[in-house]
């Protein structure tokens, strides 16, 4: 949580005064880890039940939010509502990743990890296919009913493609039940058919997978550094790039930028540039077992 506030926000803003702080994915993971760290002392079945209740029940709050016209209290936004708070003339807080649904998903992920390690080979593959298929079937059933599981309703559009896009448009902030069903369901099926793949591409991908936190922190830094250099190369001033009340990121002006193709090239370049660093740190973690390495 401290890294989110002190490091990630600085990477996004390059503002040493921290006039605008956003609570994003790292904060949500951090507070969920604290909750899970307390829950693991409970019996496994209780932990599993708590995760199920949160994941399947949190969208009940959508009905309350739909009928509310006032900005919710800060504690509620931390749980379930994206909101922006002007806490002082010089400080704004944005809750971008309410943590309650993510916490429920992490609890179920912890329980799934226990189950995953108990089975191997064909049994594991069948388990992954069964769970993944069940989640996708649940998604299609609830989404078609259009009554529960996501605050964004789908509707028939001008043609089949746009109707499909409306059907697939789901809430991620915070993640709805249906968002979690379709993404985790597809991930389960993908894992079922790729868990035994061992080739050059899979080994490259695993390098990033072993050090996701390091990659996450560094890739935002590189991207914002590059965009800031482009910003100044266009002749802009520091005053144009960072000013009081501006939402993140700074040194970026809406409407300016490059084509989508160039964006993809920059993305690929960032991934490639960070590979040697991730490779080194991955090997370092394999060789040394210092306690602090498990947190990175």
């Amino acid at each position: 949580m401290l890294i989110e506030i002190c490091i990630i926000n600085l990477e996004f803003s390059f503002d040493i005064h921290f006039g605008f702080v956003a609570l994003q994915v790292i904060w949500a993971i951090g507070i969920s880890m604290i909750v899970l760290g307390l829950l693991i002392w409970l019996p496994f079945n209780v932990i599993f039940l708590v995760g199920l209740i949160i994941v399947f029940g949190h969208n009940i709050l959508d009905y309350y939010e739909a009928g509310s016209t006032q900005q919710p209290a800060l504690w509620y936004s931390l749980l379930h509502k994206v909101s922006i708070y002007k806490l002082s003339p010089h400080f704004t807080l944005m809750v971008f990743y309410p943590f309650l649904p993510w916490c429920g998903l992490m609890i179920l992920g912890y329980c799934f990890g226990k189950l995953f390690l108990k089975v191997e080979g064909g049994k594991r593959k069948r388990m992954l296919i069964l769970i993944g298929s069940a989640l996708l079937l649940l998604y299609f059933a609830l989404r078609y009913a259009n009554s529960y599981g996501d605050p964004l309703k789908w509707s028939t559009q001008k043609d089949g493609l746009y109707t499909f896009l409306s059907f697939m448009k789901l809430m991620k902030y915070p993640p709805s039940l249906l968002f979690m069903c379709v993404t985790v369901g597809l991930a389960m099926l993908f894992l079922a058919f790729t868990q035994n793949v061992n080739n050059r591409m899979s080994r490259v991908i695993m390098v990033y997978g072993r050090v996701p936190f390091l990659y996450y922190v560094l890739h935002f830094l590189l991207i914002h550094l590059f965009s800031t250099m482009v910003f100044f190369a266009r002749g802009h001033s520091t005053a144009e790039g960072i000013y009081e009340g501006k939402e993140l990121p700074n040194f970026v002006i809406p409407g300016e930028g490059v084509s989508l193709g160039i964006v993809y090239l920059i993305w690929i370049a960032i991934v490639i540039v960070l590979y040697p660093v991730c490779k080194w740190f991955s090997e370092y973690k394999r060789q040394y077992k210092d306690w602090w390495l498990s947190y990175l």
Side-chain angles (χ1 to χ4, degrees), residues 13 44 63 67 69 84 125 162 206 213 217 222 274 286:
S13 66
F44 179 84
Y63 300 108
T69 57
I84 299 178
K125 182 176 182 178
Y162 280 86
M206 286 175 64
F213 191 29
V217 172
L222 287 182
L274 287 178
R286 289 164 66 96

Side-chain angles (χ1 to χ4, degrees), residues 234-247:
R234 287 190 169 124
H236 295 299
S237 66
T238 302
E240 292 177 278
I242 181 170
Y243 53 87
E244 187 175 315
K246 186 183 189 301
E247 298 179 11

Side-chain angles (χ1 to χ4, degrees), residues 223-235:
I223 290 171
H224 200 191
L225 279 173
F226 180 76
S227 67
T228 301
M229 288 188 292
V230 173
F231 174 87
F232 285 114
R234 287 190 169 124

